[in-house]
Amino acid sequence: MDLFARSWTALGAAVADLSDEDFSRPSGCTGWLVRDLVCHLVIDAQDVLITLATPADGEPTRDALTYWEISDTPPTGDDPLDALTVRLAAAYEEPRLLKFHLDDIGSAAGRAAQLADPSLRVGTRDEVLTVGDYLSTYVMEWTLHHLDLIAHLPDAAPPSTEGLARSREMLERIAGGVFPPSFSDRDALRVGTGRRRPTDAERAELGESAAKFPLYLG
C-alpha cells in the first residue's frame, strides 16, 4: 500500500511540475502527446476508485502478475480507446485544467487506497483480485507511465526508486527471465516492455533472456 502511494505521489508531482509547453511534447506512448498521457492517468485514477468500490465474491482469479494481458506486438496508437483519450485530452484546452482534474481524482484514489483493506476482493475487467494485488499492478502502471511521461523531458523528476525496483522484479517474474545487474531498473523496464530497443551489447549481455523480452503489457 505504501509503495502504491509513493509511486503515485512521484508521478503526480512530475505532472504538477510540467510547463504548459511540455503538454505539447511527445510522450513515450505511441501516438500520444504528454497531454494525452496525462488524460489517460485521469482515467486510470478513476479506474482505481471504481474498482475499490466494486467488492467481489469468490476466490481471486488473477494476482498482481497474472493480471496483465500479454501481447507479442507493440501498440500502434490506432485502438479506438486510444483515439478517444486523444479527443478527451484536447477538450481540456488548458493544461491547468488537466492538472487540476488529475490532482482531484488522483488524490481521491490515493485516499481510497490508503483506507482499503488489502485482503478484500474486488472486481475489475471481469476478474477478481485482492485489493493488495490490484494496487500492486498500479505500482507498475504508474512507474511505466512515469517513464513515458518524461521520455522526452530530460530534466523531469524520475519515478520513485522503490517503484522502479518493484516493477523490474514484477516484469522479470512475468517474463520468467532476468536482466543482468548492469542494467539499471529504468533501462530494464524500458527494454523489457519495448519502450526502446536494446543495444547490441545489451542483447549480448541478456543472453538467453533476450528471447523473453520485450513484453507488451495491457
Side-chain angles (χ1 to χ4, degrees):
M1 307 290 272
D2 289 342
L3 191 49
F4 171 90
R6 288 197 293 271
S7 299
W8 169 245
T9 298
L11 179 54
V15 172
D17 287 342
L18 295 174
S19 68
D20 286 359
E21 292 75 20
D22 290 335
F23 277 74
S24 298
R25 300 183 190 277
S27 77
C29 295
T30 303
W32 279 0
L33 301 176
V34 166
R35 74 175 187 187
D36 306 321
L37 174 55
V38 175
C39 185
H40 173 74
L41 297 178
V42 171
I43 297 170
D44 268 356
Q46 290 173 337
D47 182 70
V48 171
L49 281 172
I50 291 168
T51 301
L52 292 179
T54 308
D57 297 321
E59 293 299 314
T61 57
R62 300 282 181 108
D63 61 26
L65 302 181
T66 59
Y67 168 85
W68 302 96
E69 298 293 338
I70 310 299
S71 174
D72 295 328
T73 57
T76 62
D78 297 329
D79 184 275
L81 289 178
D82 291 347
L84 175 61
T85 299
V86 172
R87 294 197 297 274
L88 287 173
Y92 280 89
E93 295 185 352
E94 298 180 39
R96 66 179 179 84
L97 298 176
L98 196 48
K99 282 185 177 182
F100 171 79
H101 198 187
L102 180 64
D103 181 64
D104 195 32
I105 298 293
S107 296
R111 289 192 296 272
Q114 290 278 349
L115 294 170
D117 181 342
S119 66
L120 292 180
R121 295 163 188 173
V122 290
T124 184
R125 305 202 305 192
D126 296 323
E127 303 288 353
V128 178
L129 294 88
T130 66
V131 166
D133 276 331
Y134 174 71
L135 294 180
S136 289
T137 69
Y138 265 92
V139 172
M140 182 179 283
E141 176 83 359
W142 296 144
T143 300
L144 290 175
H145 279 327
H146 196 146
L147 292 176
D148 293 330
L149 183 79
I150 66 174
H152 302 284
L153 300 171
D155 296 328
S160 72
T161 301
E162 302 94 336
L164 286 166
R166 173 60 175 153
S167 297
R168 175 184 183 155
E169 176 195 349
M170 290 174 69
L171 181 63
E172 290 176 334
R173 291 175 64 190
I174 292 169
V178 298
F179 288 93
S182 59
F183 277 65
S184 69
D185 292 338
R186 184 188 298 203
D187 284 335
L189 289 170
R190 293 185 66 214
V191 169
T193 59
R195 282 164 165 80
R196 78 164 175 83
R197 288 178 173 275
T199 64
D200 290 342
E202 286 173 334
R203 183 173 291 278
E205 268 196 283
L206 278 167
E208 293 182 0
S209 289
K212 299 182 181 294
F213 299 105
L215 294 181
Y216 302 104
L217 307 177

